């Protein structure tokens, strides 16, 4: 907004964060100033980052009056919206008023990110009392009058009061944390009021889930169970907590395993004519066995592999003859539960019974995240100086666009002046880490179902600007390459090539819909800066299943190798596979952060097709069969553990 009385303004920006303060240069007589200045703040306590905020104040500086400036607007960014450098994009924030009577307009473009790069040093902050801040703050009546009239206070009293408050409030908060409350918070600006200490929150209320269709037969209705879980017993839809503290597996039953870690061997004897050996270790218990990888020509191998056996299958490790042989084998054996830190990496005995060890990768539990998706907007504006071989006709040209397996094209345009104009928008979906390229080819329709390529350009997605708002994207010209090899001398003669005018951007201000609306589990936009803080934590315990229908035959009998999949947001989880068991028990527990209660958690059960059928033959190309149709439940029907 103009503030100098001459229809313009001389603006600067003052930044405050964590007790530090920086200021940009002053841009004289410019209502659309551009600074491109970088400032680095030191974060004194990273764990306290969500409680901090970056504040940017825009001022008009009156150089004719020493130290005089007037308020143009402010921006406040919470620490919860800070992102790492790879995710940082320029965002334009609308300038906010300081009070009811302030007159403010305009936007401030900022690129904010956090980094732990040791080579970056924090900038030199402004002194606590700089020459512009030595004048006492104005009275409330003077400030309101200045806001209404739009006049400048001679000594920029409004901001000096804020600078003074930054230091006084910091001291008062420090004293309050040590049992010394400030004299009066009523005298401070409302934006600095510290929330009073809230009483300790009550335990989360457990909501009982009922069947939506009350007329369903009992065989298909939701049944309540009362298993004794790690965190207590479920009674009447509520968990009666045990005396011990909650842990990662307090929603599921504790399953005990015998863990065997094969560590290493030393001074093994020679076993072949070359004087070397290829050792490996086979661990057996009943019909179950696990085999480590082998080392070629190694007398002192180190495996460090862990095997998990059910607690009820005890065994003794002896050789075939019962005699000691040369060499020593170190085994670390202990009894634990699925909460053991070695459990996720252990080879489970029931998972390695009927298959070779290479199939273990298809048997373990797995947690993975779906890639972040962006909308890729391609605005094809025009082309210049297209070159065609047939000069007797007007070219009928269009642009074909490809991103991965996605295809799109513009409408054909008859170019009478060899400069066709389209101004068409095409939209694609791009996934990080942007391994695909944007490929555009200019083509001429020379006949029915016959197109001739006039030029092509390949643009890496990593070179395309990302935005998180609706700021205007400026167009760029791209030179098209010839579709076939030509003579080098001919290239030297050609001074110009065909050009394509494009507007490109990766749009992160919207949520990319990647699943059915009624199963939507995440409604957040792509850009992390726009994410709101989580409202709680969702915990899911996958206990087991009953009465699984056989999905394959093995040794002439029906069999199923069951695992469960759960999805919420971008996080997918898969339990371990329980082999040949109609009543498998998983007892695995997972957590998700919840950002919106109007979202759905989806769960499904599948038969592992990688383990083979018809006598146990391996079928690596088989598709996993769906045992039970995936179902979803809204998060509002579940109990959310609030953080």
């Amino acid at each position: 907004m103009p503030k100098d009385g001459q229809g313009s303004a001389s603006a600067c920006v003052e930044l405050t964060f964590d007790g530090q303060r920086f200021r940009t240069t002053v841009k004289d007589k410019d209502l659309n100033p551009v600074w491109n200045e970088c400032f680095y703040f030191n974060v004194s306590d990273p764990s306290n980052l969500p409680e901090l905020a970056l504040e940017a104040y825009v001022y008009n500086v009156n150089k004719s009056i020493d130290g005089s400036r007037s308020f143009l607007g402010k921006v406040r960014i919470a620490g919860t919206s800070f992102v790492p450098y790879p995710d940082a994009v320029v965002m334009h924030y609308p300038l906010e008023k300081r009070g009811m009577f302030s007159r403010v307009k305009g936007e401030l473009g900022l690129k904010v990110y956090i980094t732990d790069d040791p080579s970056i040093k924090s900038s030199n902050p402004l002194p606590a009392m700089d020459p512009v801040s030595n004048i006492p703050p104005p009275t409330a009546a003077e400030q309101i009058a200045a806001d209404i009239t739009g006049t400048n206070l001679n000594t920029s009293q409004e901001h000096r009061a804020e600078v003074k408050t930054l230091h006084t409030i910091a001291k008062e908060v420090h004293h309050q944390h040590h049992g010394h409350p400030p004299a009066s918070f009523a005298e401070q600006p409302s934006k600095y009021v510290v929330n009073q200490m809230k009483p300790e929150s009550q335990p989360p209320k457990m909501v009982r889930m009922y069947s939506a269709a009350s007329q369903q037969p009992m065989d298909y209705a939701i049944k309540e169970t009362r298993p004794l879980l790690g965190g207590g017993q479920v009674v009447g839809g509520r968990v009666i907590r045990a005396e011990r503290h909650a842990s990662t597996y307090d929603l599921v039953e504790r399953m005990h395993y015998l863990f065997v870690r094969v560590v290493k061997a030393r001074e093994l004897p020679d076993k072949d004519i070359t004087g070397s050996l290829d050792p490996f270790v086979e661990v057996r218990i009943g019909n179950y066995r696990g085999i480590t990888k082998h080392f070629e020509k190694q007398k002192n191998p180190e495996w460090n592999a862990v095997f998990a056996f059910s607690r009820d299958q005890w065994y003794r490790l002896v050789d075939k003859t019962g005699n000691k042989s040369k060499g020593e084998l170190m085994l670390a054996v202990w009894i634990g539960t699925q909460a053991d830190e070695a459990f996720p990496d252990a080879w489970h005995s029931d998972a390695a019974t009927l298959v070779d060890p290479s199939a273990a990768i298809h048997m373990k539990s797995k947690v993975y995240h779906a890639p972040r998706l962006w909308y890729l907007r391609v605005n094809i504006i025009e082309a210049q100086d297209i070159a065609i071989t047939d000069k007797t006709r007007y070219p009928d040209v269009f642009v074909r666009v490809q991103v991965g397996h996605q295809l799109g094209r513009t409408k054909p345009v008859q170019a009478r002046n060899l400069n066709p104009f389209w101004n068409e928008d095409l939209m694609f979906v791009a996934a990080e880490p942007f391994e695909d390229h944007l490929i555009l080819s200019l083509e001429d329709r020379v006949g029915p179902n016959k197109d001739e390529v006039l030029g092509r350009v390949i643009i890496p997605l990593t070179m395309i600007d990302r935005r998180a708002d609706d700021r205007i994207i400026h167009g760029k010209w791209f030179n098209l390459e010839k579709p076939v090899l030509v003579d080098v001398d001919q290239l030297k003669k050609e001074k110009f090539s065909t050009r394509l005018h494009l507007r490109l951007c990766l749009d992160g201000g919207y949520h990319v819909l990647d699943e059915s609306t009624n199963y939507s589990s995440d409604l957040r936009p792509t850009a992390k800066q726009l994410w709101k803080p989580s409202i709680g934590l969702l915990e899911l315990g996958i206990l087991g299943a009953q009465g699984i229908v056989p999905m394959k035959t093995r040794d002439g009998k029906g069999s199923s190798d069951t695992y469960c999949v759960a999805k919420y947001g971008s996080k997918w989880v898969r339990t371990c596979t329980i082999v040949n068991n109609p009543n498998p028990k998983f007892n695995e527990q997972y957590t998700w952060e919840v950002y919106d209660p109007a979202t759905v958690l989806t769960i499904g059960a599948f038969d592992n097709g990688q383990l083979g059928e018809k006598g146990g033959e391996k079928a690596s190309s088989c598709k996993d069969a769906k045992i039970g149709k995936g179902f979803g439940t809204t998060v509002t029907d579940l109990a959310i553990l609030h953080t």
Side-chain angles (χ1 to χ4, degrees):
M1 174 175 285
K3 277 285 187 177
D4 61 358
Q6 301 175 4
S8 186
S10 300
C12 74
V13 180
E14 189 161 293
L15 306 168
T16 62
F17 176 80
D18 200 8
Q20 304 158 73
R21 187 159 54 102
F22 304 137
R23 186 186 301 131
T24 67
T25 57
V26 178
K27 297 296 181 179
D28 294 328
K29 303 293 182 180
D30 191 352
L31 293 180
N32 299 288
V34 177
W35 287 278
N36 280 328
E37 299 180 24
C38 297
F39 301 94
Y40 294 97
F41 294 88
N42 181 46
V43 182
S44 57
D45 184 5
S47 62
N48 195 40
L49 187 61
E51 308 298 329
L52 302 176
L54 171 68
E55 293 183 317
Y57 295 86
V58 185
Y59 295 101
N60 170 62
V61 178
N62 188 350
K63 294 185 177 181
S64 61
I65 303 176
D66 188 20
S68 175
R69 57 185 177 178
S70 54
F71 181 77
L72 293 176
K74 70 173 184 177
V75 170
R76 187 179 189 274
I77 306 174
T80 54
S81 64
F82 295 167
V83 297
Y85 178 75
D87 295 319
V89 296
V90 177
M91 294 194 56
H92 290 76
Y93 301 88
L95 293 175
E96 301 175 1
K97 298 180 179 180
R98 185 193 46 241
M100 181 183 302
F101 301 104
S102 298
R103 292 188 298 174
V104 167
K105 73 173 184 178
E107 296 179 340
L108 180 64
L110 297 172
K111 184 176 182 179
V112 183
Y113 58 90
I114 54 177
T115 179
D116 57 359
D117 188 349
S119 63
I120 297 179
K121 304 299 181 183
S122 60
S123 307
N124 295 323
L126 296 176
M129 297 295 290
D130 57 10
V132 203
S133 307
N134 290 328
I135 302 177
T139 64
E142 292 173 341
Q143 189 59 66
I144 293 176
D147 286 336
I148 295 176
T149 61
T151 57
N152 298 346
L153 295 175
N154 289 336
T155 53
S156 182
Q157 296 165 345
E158 54 192 41
H159 182 67
R160 287 165 212 149
E162 294 164 1
V163 175
K164 179 177 183 292
T165 303
L166 284 173
H167 298 280
T168 56
I169 288 296
K171 295 179 181 178
E172 291 170 355
V173 173
H174 174 76
H175 289 307
Q176 185 190 25
H177 288 177
H178 290 78
H180 302 286
S184 174
F185 275 110
E187 301 174 359
Q188 305 298 340
S190 59
K191 63 179 179 180
Y192 291 114
V193 173
V194 180
N195 294 331
Q196 296 180 353
M197 296 294 291
K198 297 181 180 180
E200 185 176 355
S201 59
Q202 299 296 326
K205 181 180 179 181
M206 303 298 293
V207 181
R208 187 175 179 180
M209 184 174 64
Y210 295 92
S211 173
S214 58
Q215 301 300 323
Q216 287 182 347
M218 284 301 296
D219 289 343
Y220 299 98
I222 297 178
K223 303 181 180 65
E224 179 182 349
T225 60
R226 297 186 179 183
L228 183 62
L229 304 179
Q233 187 173 11
V234 179
V235 178
R238 300 185 63 185
V239 177
I240 307 300
R241 295 290 180 183
E243 294 182 357
R244 59 177 177 270
H245 297 289
S247 66
T248 308
Y249 289 89
D250 59 355
L251 294 183
V252 295
E253 299 181 52
R254 292 295 179 92
M255 300 176 65
H256 292 275
Y257 294 88
L258 174 65
F259 290 93
V260 179
R261 183 190 296 274
V262 181
V263 185
K264 57 185 176 181
R266 67 182 182 187
E267 299 179 5
L268 297 180
D270 299 334
K271 285 297 182 180
D272 58 16
I273 57 176
T274 62
S276 64
L277 74 164
D278 304 331
F280 66 93
V281 177
E282 178 178 301
V283 183
R284 285 180 176 267
I285 175 169
N287 294 326
Y288 299 138
R289 71 171 183 171
I291 302 176
T292 67
K293 64 180 180 180
H294 74 278
F295 291 94
E296 295 184 1
K297 301 180 180 181
Q298 177 61 262
K299 293 185 178 181
N300 300 289
E302 293 189 12
W303 293 279
N304 202 29
V306 180
F307 299 87
F309 293 90
S310 175
R311 184 181 180 182
D312 299 330
Q313 295 165 350
W314 294 95
Y315 72 100
R316 296 182 61 188
L317 292 176
V318 294
D319 59 13
K320 294 181 180 180
T321 61
N323 299 324
K324 295 182 179 180
S325 61
K326 184 179 179 182
E328 298 176 353
L329 177 66
M330 180 187 296
L331 293 178
V333 182
W334 70 96
I335 294 177
T337 68
Q338 70 269 42
D340 195 291
E341 62 180 6
F343 183 78
D345 297 325
W347 289 21
H348 300 270
S349 58
D350 56 351
T353 307
L354 302 169
V355 294
D356 61 289
S358 63
I361 59 175
H362 304 293
M363 313 293 295
K364 294 183 179 181
S365 303
K366 185 178 181 182
V367 177
Y368 56 97
H369 293 265
R372 199 149 49 117
L373 303 179
W374 296 74
Y375 280 127
L376 172 61
R377 298 182 183 270
V378 181
N379 178 223
I380 303 171
I381 305 173
E382 60 182 327
Q384 278 186 355
D385 303 327
I386 63 174
I388 58 174
T389 55
D390 187 1
K391 305 294 184 180
T392 63
R393 51 178 289 273
Y394 293 120
D396 200 18
V397 292
F398 63 93
V399 178
R400 192 187 304 273
V401 186
Q402 180 176 356
V403 181
H405 298 289
Q406 306 170 77
L407 296 173
R409 73 173 198 173
T410 65
K411 295 179 181 179
V413 171
Q414 203 171 56
R416 295 179 178 271
N417 59 355
L418 302 182
N419 297 315
F421 181 85
W422 295 277
N423 196 25
E424 287 192 32
D425 289 317
L426 299 177
M427 182 177 290
F428 304 89
V429 174
E432 291 183 344
F434 302 134
E435 295 178 348
D436 295 323
H437 296 311
L438 174 63
I439 304 174
L440 302 101
S441 60
L442 181 65
E443 302 182 18
D444 179 19
R445 178 65 54 85
V446 296
N449 299 323
K450 184 179 181 182
D451 301 325
E452 179 183 344
V453 179
L454 303 179
R456 180 182 290 112
V457 60
I458 300 177
I459 306 173
L461 296 183
T462 53
M463 297 177 59
I464 299 177
D465 292 336
R466 292 180 288 176
R467 70 173 184 177
D469 51 15
D470 57 353
R471 64 186 173 92
I472 298 176
I473 300 297
H474 299 289
K476 295 181 181 179
W477 288 95
F478 294 87
N479 294 328
L480 301 184
E481 297 179 356
K482 297 294 183 181
V484 294
L485 294 177
V486 295
D487 186 20
V488 177
D489 295 332
Q490 182 67 23
L491 287 177
K492 293 180 180 179
K493 295 179 182 178
E494 295 180 358
K495 298 181 180 180
F496 303 99
S497 64
T498 304
R499 299 197 305 168
L500 199 58
H501 192 194
L502 306 172
R503 287 193 190 97
L504 307 173
C505 79
L506 290 165
D507 204 333
Y510 303 92
H511 166 64
V512 179
L513 190 63
D514 60 338
E515 53 193 348
S516 179
T517 306
N518 57 324
Y519 289 109
S520 181
S521 57
D522 192 0
L523 303 177
R524 292 173 296 168
T526 300
K528 292 184 178 180
Q529 295 93 328
L530 302 178
W531 292 0
K532 297 179 181 179
S534 63
I535 62 174
L537 194 66
L538 172 64
E539 295 191 272
L540 172 67
I542 303 177
L543 305 181
Q546 294 181 351
I548 295 296
V549 178
M551 303 299 293
K552 62 168 73 83
T553 58
R554 183 178 285 128
D555 297 331
K557 299 180 181 180
S559 176
S560 290
D561 306 321
T562 310
Y563 68 89
C564 288
V565 171
K567 178 187 184 296
Y568 182 74
S570 61
K571 179 179 176 181
W572 292 73
V573 300
R574 184 186 72 187
T575 68
C576 64
T577 300
I578 305 299
V579 178
N580 196 21
N581 191 336
N583 302 302
K585 288 188 176 182
F586 305 101
N587 285 303
E588 298 183 19
Q589 185 168 334
Y590 302 95
T591 61
W592 288 267
E593 281 192 304
V594 177
Y595 295 89
D596 191 335
T599 46
V600 176
L601 169 70
T602 304
I603 306 173
F606 296 85
D607 174 71
N608 197 324
Q610 308 299 319
L611 306 186
E613 52 184 302
K614 296 182 180 180
E617 296 179 0
K618 185 176 180 181
S620 58
S621 61
C622 290
K623 184 179 180 180
D624 293 358
K626 184 188 299 182
I627 295 177
K629 183 179 180 181
F631 64 91
T633 179
T634 57
V635 176
T636 51
D637 296 332
L638 305 175
I640 300 177
L641 178 63
H642 288 275
T643 55

